[in-house]
Amino acid sequence: MKLFSVLPFLFITLSVLAQNPDTYKSEVWVSDNQDGTYTNPILYADYSDPDVARVGDNYYMTASSFNAAPGLPILHSKDMINWKIINYALPKQVPEETFAVPQHGNGVWAPSIRSHNNALYIYWGDPDHGIYMVKTDDPYGNWEEPVLVMEGKGLIDPSPLWDDDGKAYLVHAYAGSRAGVKSLLSVNKMNAEGTKVLDAGQHVFDGHDDQPTVEGTKFYKRNGYYYIFAPAGGVSTGWQLILRSKNIYGPYEEKVVLEQGSTDINGPHQGAWVQTPEGEDWFYHFQDVEAYGRIVHLQPMNWKNDWPVMGEDKDGNGIGEPVKTYKKPNVGKNYPIVTPVESTEFEEDSLGMQWQWQANPEVVWHAKLPGNDYLRLFSIKTPEDSPNLWMTPNLLLQKFPAPDFTATTKISLFPQEAEEGKRAGLIVMGMDYATLTLTHDEEDFIIRQTQAIDAIDGEEELIIAEKHISSNEVVFRVEVNAPDAMCQFSYSENGKNFTQIGNPFKAKPGKWIGAKVGLFSVSTQEAKRGGYADVQYFRISK
């Protein structure tokens, strides 16, 4: 099946079809105003370091996924505003044995996606291993096995360029935590297949004087100029830098083209230049909003004197500022609203695309049998001597989808032969985390609201409140509210009347990611084998 020749509906798998990704509309965040305009962010979810490639009249986005599995999400759009998640390019993180346990903050950093030779290529940097590449001629299907293009520590944020003469190059940055230096950009020659660098590379830009923490590179060529789009100034406070030169190795001129200015969009930078078939130019970038992660914005873009102009220059200083609401891109026709899937009734035969594990999954973690309208999560023993769930691999999580939302799930616990030690529930996960847990003792079942403050540092998970119930089935809920991502848990024994439990909890980001919400089913090391939890649904609502 070829990228440029097969109709999209032929690619749709059973699990994707069952979730109706072509028609799913979020209750909590829609960017399309249905009047010819859109409101930023276009995705109020942690699609960090986004990059986009156009193939004909189709647009494909990928983003950083760090340690989560599957990795490298693939989103599709026809109009650049309405996006759906269709696949992952990396079913398991590599090396697989390394990512069998949580590797918080490691893994897939800042990918670039490019269309070349009737295929889609994705390059990314793993700060501990080097620069990888995967490719496919069918973005809805299987992607080829990852290739290690350039081995080394601290090599990050790569972007390829196939020049007019067929020669291939790769630009990348450095992670100071591994390489010992940052704020440098280098260019390497690659083979024409894009599978291997051919030289030691050459530094082309040093940002130490005026552009600190320059990274996140994207490589382009236009009107005889080589362009490196690169953010500088740091994740939450930075700006968008453009470098250009007539020679691929420089010297490069520099110009800042996008900054926060008078807006409330902090750190608007790092993303993708996209041109529509109608010739319009646009720029995707992220905004870091702490617990909500790095959310995705879209800015109008045009060219002046061979420099890109992004957003609107509201103060006349020659540097654009982000727009909040703007006319939608002209793509030749109108398309219906669609958003990434969030809720699920677990009726499909596999997990939905919104779900990721905290490490490479094992087959015994869950079961989703054909015909069963529930998800079974087995009671997997937590790591030995673990004071909390930070290093537990079998957490099933999804991104926060909006500033204000409610997550509701129905869970039944089956301890089997164990008299104690099995528990399952709803979790808001980050460097601090909180749960609403269903557990048991010899006599009955127990609801517990717990918190682990400074979980990343090994602090113990504490019980904040508990309630004994007679049934093994309960409905859990957490309400998340802006601006500080405050979370309030509640439960219901009949699915109708909810009772608040425990203390409000302020969600915190994970390592380089936003907070996540999801499910878990675990066992103590001492408990008898067996046990599981059945989850009837997981619903995101207002």
Side-chain angles (χ1 to χ4, degrees), residues 292-340:
Y292 296 100
R294 303 179 195 179
I295 59 179
V296 182
H297 291 243
L298 180 63
Q299 301 302 327
M301 174 177 151
N302 54 67
W303 293 86
K304 183 177 181 180
N305 299 325
D306 286 320
W307 287 106
V309 179
M310 298 174 181
E312 295 179 340
D313 183 5
K314 299 178 181 180
D315 57 9
N317 69 345
I319 303 174
E321 299 177 16
V323 300
K324 184 64 175 178
T325 299
Y326 204 77
K327 65 180 180 179
K328 292 168 60 177
N330 176 18
V331 294
K333 61 181 293 188
N334 293 321
Y335 291 91
I337 289 176
V338 63
T339 63

Side-chain angles (χ1 to χ4, degrees), residues 259-509:
E259 64 181 3
Q260 177 174 349
S262 60
T263 75
D264 60 358
I265 310 303
N266 58 290
H269 61 18
Q270 191 160 340
W273 165 35
V274 180
Q275 189 173 65
T276 70
E278 288 72 23
E280 290 184 355
D281 296 291
W282 297 84
F283 182 70
Y284 289 93
H285 67 87
F286 73 70
Q287 174 196 8
D288 184 274
V289 281
E290 298 183 350
Y292 296 100
R294 303 179 195 179
I295 59 179
V296 182
H297 291 243
L298 180 63
Q299 301 302 327
M301 174 177 151
N302 54 67
W303 293 86
K304 183 177 181 180
N305 299 325
D306 286 320
W307 287 106
V309 179
M310 298 174 181
E312 295 179 340
D313 183 5
K314 299 178 181 180
D315 57 9
N317 69 345
I319 303 174
E321 299 177 16
V323 300
K324 184 64 175 178
T325 299
Y326 204 77
K327 65 180 180 179
K328 292 168 60 177
N330 176 18
V331 294
K333 61 181 293 188
N334 293 321
Y335 291 91
I337 289 176
V338 63
T339 63
V341 172
E342 302 151 352
S343 299
T344 178
E345 302 298 308
F346 293 115
E347 295 174 341
E348 61 275 7
D349 291 344
S350 60
L351 289 174
M353 293 288 179
Q354 66 269 43
W355 295 106
Q356 293 173 291
W357 301 97
Q358 199 165 233
N360 283 339
E362 296 184 14
V363 69
V364 296
W365 288 357
H366 82 287
K368 188 67 196 71
L369 302 184
N372 286 355
D373 59 352
Y374 58 85
L375 170 67
R376 179 158 291 175
L377 296 174
F378 295 103
S379 303
I380 304 300
K381 291 182 183 291
T382 55
E384 291 188 23
D385 302 321
S386 178
N388 59 51
L389 297 177
W390 178 253
M391 291 301 295
T392 299
N394 59 306
L395 304 186
L396 186 61
L397 307 171
Q398 63 173 280
K399 305 172 189 299
F400 274 22
D404 300 281
F405 69 94
T406 298
T408 306
T409 187
K410 185 177 183 180
I411 297 177
S412 302
L413 181 66
F414 299 90
Q416 293 189 295
E417 298 178 8
E419 295 179 349
E420 60 180 10
K422 309 295 178 178
R423 62 183 179 124
L426 178 63
I427 186 168
V428 173
M429 187 66 191
M431 288 187 279
D432 298 346
Y433 74 79
T435 83
L436 194 50
T437 293
L438 180 60
T439 187
H440 66 106
D441 59 20
E442 296 181 29
E443 299 179 356
D444 53 16
F445 291 89
I446 308 166
I447 296 170
R448 287 177 177 156
Q449 198 271 302
T450 75
Q451 294 183 11
I453 306 301
D454 293 324
I456 186 175
D457 295 325
E459 293 299 317
E460 187 176 358
E461 180 181 324
L462 302 177
I463 299 170
I464 306 301
E466 70 176 27
K467 164 74 175 178
H468 286 249
I469 58 173
S470 58
S471 172
N472 72 328
E473 182 177 278
V474 68
V475 179
F476 284 160
R477 173 172 287 176
V478 62
E479 296 180 26
V480 182
N481 291 294
D484 297 325
M486 293 301 299
C487 307
Q488 177 62 61
F489 290 94
S490 59
Y491 69 93
S492 174
E493 296 183 68
N494 60 15
K496 298 177 182 178
N497 306 112
F498 283 82
T499 301
Q500 289 187 357
I501 185 171
N503 296 334
F505 168 75
K506 181 180 171 68
K508 291 291 183 69

Side-chain angles (χ1 to χ4, degrees), residues 127-149:
D128 296 306
H129 297 95
I131 293 170
Y132 288 93
M133 182 272 287
V134 291
K135 69 175 183 175
T136 187
D137 59 9
D138 170 12
Y140 290 79
N142 293 326
W143 292 64
E144 296 182 8
E145 290 294 316
V147 174
L148 185 58
V149 177

Side-chain angles (χ1 to χ4, degrees), residues 201-220:
Q202 182 172 326
H203 296 322
V204 297
F205 186 76
D206 182 347
H208 283 86
D209 294 332
D210 301 311
Q211 307 294 344
T213 319
V214 62
E215 55 188 4
T217 61
K218 299 293 184 293
F219 222 170
Y220 305 105

Side-chain angles (χ1 to χ4, degrees), residues 100-119:
V101 298
Q103 298 286 337
H104 293 282
N106 302 334
V108 176
W109 285 24
S112 291
I113 185 169
R114 292 291 181 268
S115 175
H116 176 67
N117 279 351
N118 278 1

